């Protein structure tokens, strides 16, 4: 019996060598330690063993059982470790490889210009108010002192919509919308899109954006001198302290007196180019003292209140600032063009 046990032990240990596979180990476990395995079989045959030898055989069986269980456990550990090392080696990460870069967008150059303009105006005390793009005749024309069928309306070709509505031709509707519901003192700027049936060209587009600004207070407080001061200050902040600014007499139905403001052409520095129509100057905004009829239309008494207004095209203003000589580039959205004006890198 003892020799048989020795043999079972030696055989099992040989099979449980270091390189044993999982299946081999399991096979040994079942054959030797299993419920109907070799050791169980020996225990069952214990009655055949002479009584005085039974304790020794029993002890031997237990020792072999323990030894083999330990051996199997150790092999299991080894295998687990090896599997872990294999998977670590496979999943190795090279932290020095370049990462995946996620492409980030940026604001359109015209949007960047508009935000810069609004920043300057806000820093001067103006409040930004959004007003509607779809308007009625009263807010776009009537209240702004364009009499019905008056030729002045032809200054601004118009997209008409059903139901007496239209697409606003300028942001001057903002003056009416705000003054209707608020009382002076007011210092407001209204940015937004405007529409006129013009061909897209070097200098014009059927859709463009403007910023309207106006300042109203009791009569005698806000004068033409303030208008000139505010606009000169604004233009120098936007275009640079050495830019030339020129005021010319002009006409708008909603201002009296009216002026157009030119800036020395930043593209050709006065030499003449297609953007400044070879004059060295570019007109960038219209302005004036708000006409008494406009004040009356919003329920203000012109004897009591007075103020100025101005309006400028954002694309026109950006052309010069960014050194772009064709308005169409802003609307074509060719990425090769837009990439030159990534946020923070533009010349703004
Ligand atoms: N609304 C005018 C335009 O679109 C600009 C303007 C605004 C002129 C305010 C005077 C005062 O041309």
């Amino acid at each position: 019996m003892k020799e048989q046990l020795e043999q079972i032990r030696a055989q099992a240990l040989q099979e449980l060598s270091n390189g044993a596979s999982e299946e081999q180990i399991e096979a040994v476990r079942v054959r030797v330690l299993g419920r109907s395995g070799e050791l169980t079989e020996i225990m069952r045959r214990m009655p055949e063993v002479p009584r005085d030898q039974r304790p020794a055989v029993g002890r031997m069986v237990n020792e072999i059982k323990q030894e083999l269980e330990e051996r199997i456990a150790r092999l299991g550990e080894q295998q687990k470790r090896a599997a872990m090392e294999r998977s670590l080696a496979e999943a190795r990460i090279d932290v020095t490889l370049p990462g995946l870069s996620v492409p980030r967008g940026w604001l359109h150059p015209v949007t960047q210009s508009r935000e810069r303009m609004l920043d300057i105006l806000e820093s001067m005390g103006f409040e930004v108010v959004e007003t509607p793009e779809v308007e009625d005749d009263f807010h776009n024309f009537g209240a702004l002192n364009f009499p019905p069928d008056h030729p002045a309306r032809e200054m601004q070709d118009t997209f008409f919509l059903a139901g007496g509505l239209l697409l606003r031709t300028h942001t001057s509707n903002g003056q009416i919308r705000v003054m209707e519901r608020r009382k002076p003192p007011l210092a407001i700027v209204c940015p937004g899109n405007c529409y006129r049936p013009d061909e897209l060209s070097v200098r014009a587009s059927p859709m463009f954006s403007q910023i309207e600004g106006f300042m109203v207070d009791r009569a005698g407080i806000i004068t033409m001198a303030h208008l000139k001061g505010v606009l000169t200050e604004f233009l120098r902040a936007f275009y640079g302290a050495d830019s030339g600014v020129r005021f010319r007499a002009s006409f708008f139905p909603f201002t009296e007196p009216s002026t157009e403001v030119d800036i020395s052409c930043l593209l050709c520095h006065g030499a003449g180019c297609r953007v400044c129509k070879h004059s060295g100057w570019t007109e960038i905004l219209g302005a004036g003292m708000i006409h008494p009829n406009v004040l009356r239309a919003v329920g203000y008494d012109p004897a009591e209140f007075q103020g100025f207004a101005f309006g400028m095209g954002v694309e026109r203003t950006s052309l010069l600032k960014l050194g772009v000589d064709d308005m169409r580039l802003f609307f074509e959205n060719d990425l090769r063009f837009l990439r030159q004006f990534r946020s923070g890198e533009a010349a703004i």
Side-chain angles (χ1 to χ4, degrees), residues 131-140 161 164-168 170 173-174 177:
T131 51
E133 284 176 39
V134 173
E135 261 306 0
D136 50 36
D137 185 274
F138 176 76
H139 291 89
N140 193 82
L161 306 172
L165 297 175
L166 48 82
L167 295 178
R168 70 172 166 198
H170 52 181
N173 67 322
R177 289 276 167 197

Side-chain angles (χ1 to χ4, degrees), residues 156 169-170 172 175 196 210 212 252 254-255 286-288 309-311:
Q156 303 192 355
T169 57
H170 52 181
S172 298
Q175 292 181 42
R196 293 182 201 179
Q210 287 189 337
E212 186 85 7
F252 298 100
F254 35 91
T255 46
F310 62 90

Side-chain angles (χ1 to χ4, degrees), residues 248-294:
R248 276 182 294 107
S250 186
F251 169 79
F252 298 100
F254 35 91
T255 46
E256 182 57 38
S258 301
T259 174
E260 276 179 317
V261 184
D262 299 339
I263 180 118
S264 52
C265 183
L266 302 171
L267 288 185
C268 64
H269 303 285
C273 68
R274 61 176 174 162
V275 169
C276 65
K277 290 190 185 151
H278 305 283
S279 70
W281 292 93
T282 314
E283 179 233 311
I284 39 170
L285 57 84
M289 298 305 291
I290 299 176
H291 195 289
N293 286 349
V294 174

Side-chain angles (χ1 to χ4, degrees), residues 86-339:
R86 257 196 319 275
S87 91
L88 281 177
E90 278 166 17
R92 202 188 190 87
I93 294 171
D94 183 350
V95 292
T96 64
L97 285 176
L100 289 180
S101 66
V102 180
R104 278 176 59 190
W106 62 95
L107 295 176
H108 189 282
V110 172
T111 308
Q112 294 180 41
S113 284
R114 187 186 60 220
E115 300 208 336
R116 172 79 186 120
M117 292 183 213
L118 292 176
D119 278 351
I120 297 170
L121 291 163
E122 282 186 291
S123 78
M124 296 170 84
F126 286 89
E127 172 194 346
V128 178
V129 178
E130 301 273 347
T131 51
E133 284 176 39
V134 173
E135 261 306 0
D136 50 36
D137 185 274
F138 176 76
H139 291 89
N140 193 82
F141 290 124
L144 287 160
N145 196 33
F146 287 82
D149 304 318
H150 191 276
R153 289 182 184 230
E154 284 166 23
M155 285 169 72
Q156 303 192 355
D157 275 348
T158 309
F159 285 112
F160 291 100
L161 306 172
L165 297 175
L166 48 82
L167 295 178
R168 70 172 166 198
T169 57
H170 52 181
T171 43
S172 298
N173 67 322
Q175 292 181 42
I176 308 304
R177 289 276 167 197
V178 173
M179 289 195 289
E180 269 179 340
R181 19 170 239 267
R182 289 169 60 173
K183 286 273 169 277
L186 294 171
I188 308 283
V189 283
C190 304
N193 290 336
C194 308
Y195 304 82
R196 293 182 201 179
D198 288 328
E199 286 296 327
L200 185 59
S201 70
V202 172
R203 287 170 56 91
S205 153
M207 187 200 80
F208 54 98
S209 55
Q210 287 189 337
I211 294 178
E212 186 85 7
F214 54 97
M215 212 168 161
V216 187
D217 208 330
R218 304 220 153 258
I221 294 184
I222 306 290
T223 68
M224 191 78 182
H226 296 106
L227 165 61
K228 290 183 77 172
V230 165
L231 290 180
T232 305
E233 190 65 27
F234 165 77
L235 292 171
R236 298 227 159 113
F238 186 69
Y239 285 113
D242 54 351
S243 323
V245 178
R246 179 170 91 169
F247 290 79
R248 276 182 294 107
S250 186
F251 169 79
F252 298 100
F254 35 91
T255 46
E256 182 57 38
S258 301
T259 174
E260 276 179 317
V261 184
D262 299 339
I263 180 118
S264 52
C265 183
L266 302 171
L267 288 185
C268 64
H269 303 285
C273 68
R274 61 176 174 162
V275 169
C276 65
K277 290 190 185 151
H278 305 283
S279 70
W281 292 93
T282 314
E283 179 233 311
I284 39 170
L285 57 84
M289 298 305 291
I290 299 176
H291 195 289
N293 286 349
V294 174
L295 297 173
R296 278 188 202 104
V298 295
Y300 290 2
D301 177 356
E304 195 184 344
F305 296 113
Q306 163 184 330
F308 68 75
F310 62 90
M312 60 194 160
V314 179
E315 287 79 7
R316 177 81 60 86
T317 320
S318 313
L319 282 177
L320 284 183
K321 174 73 182 166
L322 302 177
V324 175
D325 68 355
D326 190 334
M327 172 87 82
R328 290 169 292 195
L329 290 165
F330 286 144
F331 295 96
E332 283 164 356
N333 287 327
D334 183 331
L335 281 177
R336 289 168 301 181
F337 170 73
L338 296 178
R339 274 203 189 97

